[in-house]
C-alpha cells in the first residue's frame, strides 16, 4: 500500500472564474523545484502514532552501520523546529544516548525544566539520513523522552520540500527543491 501512497497533482493550471477568460497556466511558487517538473505530490492525512489523523509520511531511516530501518510513519510538523525522534530511536539507529548532547528545549507544552537536564532532549550532532519517496535526505537528530511520533521539522525536512497543507480536505503536498 505504500507504493501508491502519494499521487502526482492533476495538472498545473487553474480554471478562471470568468466564463470569457481562457485558462491561465499557473507558475511554480519556487524556481527551485525538483526534477518532478514542478509537480507536487499529494498525500492524504494518515494515522500517525500519538497524533490520530495528521499529515504524515512513510520514511526509512539509515542506521549508523548503514543498514535501513523498517519504514515508519512520521508526522510532518510545522510547529517543530528540527526533526525530533522518540528517545527509543537512538538505540534503534545505533546511537548511544549518553553520547548525545542535552539541550533545553521548548515544546507546545512549555519550556523544559531548567533544573532537571535529565529530562532534556538530546542532540546527535552528526544527524541521520532518511529515505523518503526514493530520495535520501539528511535530517538533524534530536531525541526526546515521552515523545510518540517522529516529528519532521522546519529546519531540515522543510528545507528539502515546499509543503502545502490543505487541512479542510485532510491532505497535503510536497514538492522537492533542487539543491
Amino acid at each position: 500500500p505504500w507504493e501508491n501512497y502519494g499521487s502526482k497533482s492533476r495538472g498545473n493550471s487553474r480554471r478562471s472564474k470568468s466564463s470569457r477568460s481562457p485558462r491561465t497556466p499557473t507558475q511554480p511558487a519556487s524556481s527551485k523545484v525538483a526534477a518532478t517538473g514542478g509537480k507536487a505530490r499529494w498525500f492524504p492525512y494518515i494515522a500517525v502514532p500519538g497524533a490520530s489523523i495528521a499529515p504524515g509520511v512513510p520514511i526509512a531511516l539509515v542506521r549508523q552501520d548503514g543498514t535501513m530501518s523498517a519504514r515508519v510513519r512520521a508526522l510532518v510538523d510545522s510547529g517543530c523546529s528540527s526533526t525530533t525522534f522518540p528517545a527509543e530511536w537512538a538505540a534503534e539507529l545505533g546511537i548511544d544516548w549518553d553520547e548525545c548532547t542535552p539541550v533545553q528545549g521548548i515544546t507546545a507544552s512549555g519550556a523544559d525544566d531548567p533544573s532537571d537536564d535529565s529530562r532534556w532532549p538530546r542532540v546527535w550532532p552528526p544527524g541521520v539520513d532518511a529515505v523518503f519517496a526514493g530520495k535520501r535526505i539528511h535530517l538533524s537528530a534530536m531525541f526526546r523522552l515521552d515523545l510518540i511520533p517522529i516529528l519532521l521539522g522546519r529546519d531540515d525536512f522543510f528545507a528539502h520540500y515546499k509543503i502545502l497543507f490543505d487541512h479542510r480536505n485532510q491532505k497535503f503536498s510536497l514538492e522537492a527543491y533542487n539543491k
Side-chain angles (χ1 to χ4, degrees), residues 71-149:
R71 210 180 292 205
V72 295
R73 293 178 180 189
L75 181 66
V76 179
D77 187 354
S78 64
C80 183
S81 297
S82 59
T83 295
T84 306
F85 300 89
E88 303 79 40
W89 272 92
E92 169 66 24
L93 296 172
I95 297 169
D96 184 343
W97 172 263
D98 294 326
E99 291 183 23
C100 295
T101 307
V103 294
Q104 186 178 10
I106 299 175
T107 69
S109 301
D112 291 323
D113 181 354
S115 65
D116 184 9
D117 66 356
S118 70
R119 304 289 306 163
W120 289 3
R122 304 287 177 108
V123 173
W124 178 249
V128 298
D129 285 347
V131 177
F132 168 67
K135 179 180 177 184
R136 189 171 177 145
I137 58 174
H138 189 72
L139 301 172
S140 59
M142 181 178 290
F143 301 93
R144 182 175 272 285
L145 296 168
D146 304 322
L147 181 68
I148 296 174

Side-chain angles (χ1 to χ4, degrees), residues 16-95:
S16 169
K17 292 184 179 186
S18 167
S19 61
R20 291 179 282 174
S21 300
R23 291 179 132 196
T24 305
T26 59
Q27 298 299 315
S30 168
S31 60
K32 295 182 173 184
V33 294
T36 59
K39 305 253 184 192
R41 289 183 60 189
W42 285 91
F43 298 86
Y45 280 23
I46 60 172
V48 175
S52 66
I53 302 297
V57 294
I59 63 168
L61 299 166
V62 181
R63 296 183 183 98
Q64 295 299 295
D65 66 7
T67 61
M68 300 295 288
S69 74
R71 210 180 292 205
V72 295
R73 293 178 180 189
L75 181 66
V76 179
D77 187 354
S78 64
C80 183
S81 297
S82 59
T83 295
T84 306
F85 300 89
E88 303 79 40
W89 272 92
E92 169 66 24
L93 296 172
I95 297 169

